[in-house]
Amino acid sequence: MKKIQISPSILSADFSQLGNEIKRLEEGGADMIHVDVMDGHFVPNLTIGPPVIKNLRNSTKLPFDVHLMISPVHKYIEDYSKAGADIITIHPEATDNLIDSINLIKKLNKKVGVSLNPNTKLDIIDKVLDKIDLVLIMSVFPGFGGQKFMPEVIEKIKSLKKLKEERKLNLDIEVDGGINFENNKIVIQAGANILVSGTTIFKENNGNIKKNIDFLKLV
Ligand code: DX5
Ligand code: ZN
């Protein structure tokens, strides 16, 4: 059983203080930093790109768990690798050739993740499961923090965990969107070992990051 890890999303952070916010997350016990990259095309929101990530890189030694909600994604992968991403997660709908994009991320010696929107079926990644490090299951439609968790994805998490066990894969299962103290346990019991959270970590318990991270890990 993999250790439960927390990847706080900086989408809910104070963007005028991103470096300090990342330091607060590290002090609060974050295992990695979830960086939500949005292009206003693949998703209806625009956030940050490689120059900002490059400047944030020295704020922490924690891995940058970079979630690319951009399309087309293939031609930008190298930019995010150079900027300091440690995990690069892409959406299958955002590339013309998923295998090529996966192989490029691996060639750059980065961990590779594939993200499934709530309405994207597991079978789209069936043939690549043994080639990737992580599956990011979206429990909201991507684009914004603070949305409501979609419980219908729990079956998908369970099915993925079953596939992972049957094929003896060393795969991280990360869940992203609307994670809070009411649903974290059911998501972990379903098979997730990495939880993404923005709103809950930054806003609950008067913004006590350490308390919120510790609570999210409790099963
Ligand atoms: C949504 C992002 C998520 C989101 C999580 O498109 O991918 O990472 O920021 O934020 P909360 O925890 O507020 O749902
Ligand atoms: Zn995300």
Side-chain angles (χ1 to χ4, degrees):
M1 172 76 178
K2 287 185 171 229
K3 178 171 102 52
I4 303 302
Q5 297 187 77
I6 304 296
S7 186
S9 162
I10 56 172
L11 187 63
S12 303
D14 174 350
F15 267 46
S16 72
Q17 301 287 330
L18 277 180
N20 293 330
E21 297 277 76
I22 285 174
K23 286 185 170 57
R24 283 179 63 212
L25 291 171
E26 182 167 15
E27 284 151 17
D31 296 286
M32 58 189 86
I33 304 292
H34 189 82
V35 183
D36 282 313
V37 177
M38 301 180 187
D39 64 355
H41 172 241
F42 185 70
V43 291
N45 196 358
L46 187 65
T47 58
I48 60 175
V52 177
I53 294 172
K54 184 164 177 273
N55 277 273
L56 292 173
R57 185 58 275 180
N58 294 331
S59 308
T60 178
K61 291 261 179 292
L62 289 179
F64 277 177
D65 169 32
V66 176
H67 178 190
L68 294 180
M69 290 162 275
I70 68 175
S71 167
V73 65
H74 190 85
K75 63 183 176 181
Y76 297 108
I77 287 170
E78 190 149 4
D79 294 343
Y80 286 94
S81 170
K82 282 186 186 141
D86 298 282
I87 302 168
I88 297 177
T89 296
I90 61 175
H91 284 256
E93 300 89 347
T95 174
D96 294 338
N97 187 313
L98 183 56
I99 287 276
D100 283 355
S101 298
I102 288 169
N103 289 337
L104 174 56
I105 296 170
K106 292 168 85 164
K107 194 177 101 200
L108 294 164
N109 294 317
K110 303 297 179 182
K111 279 192 166 184
V112 52
V114 177
S115 184
L116 300 177
N117 281 345
N119 58 346
T120 305
K121 297 214 175 324
L122 261 183
D123 50 27
I124 199 172
I125 57 170
D126 188 72
K127 291 191 176 40
V128 300
L129 272 182
D130 61 341
K131 296 173 180 50
I132 60 179
D133 301 291
L134 176 144
V135 176
L136 176 63
I137 293 184
M138 296 305 296
S139 35
V140 296
F141 281 96
F144 299 91
Q147 298 181 79
K148 200 168 167 354
F149 176 83
M150 296 171 66
E152 53 267 46
V153 306
I154 289 168
E155 278 316 306
K156 191 188 285 183
I157 302 168
K158 288 179 180 171
S159 307
L160 178 59
K161 183 182 179 218
K162 193 162 168 288
L163 276 176
K164 167 181 166 176
E165 290 169 345
E166 283 165 1
R167 300 181 191 180
K168 298 184 178 37
L169 299 172
N170 181 28
L171 191 72
D172 282 323
I173 299 178
E174 184 172 355
V175 180
D176 182 1
I179 298 291
N180 58 33
F181 303 138
E182 283 70 51
N183 56 42
N184 66 314
K185 292 172 185 57
I186 196 165
V187 165
I188 292 170
Q189 284 155 10
N193 68 293
I194 303 175
L195 303 185
V196 174
S197 167
T199 304
T200 296
I201 286 178
F202 280 101
K203 307 276 185 273
E204 290 297 329
N205 294 302
N206 295 317
N208 183 328
I209 288 177
K210 172 149 184 27
K211 192 172 195 175
N212 294 335
I213 286 178
D214 290 345
F215 277 10
L216 283 174
K217 287 183 177 176
L218 283 179
V219 280

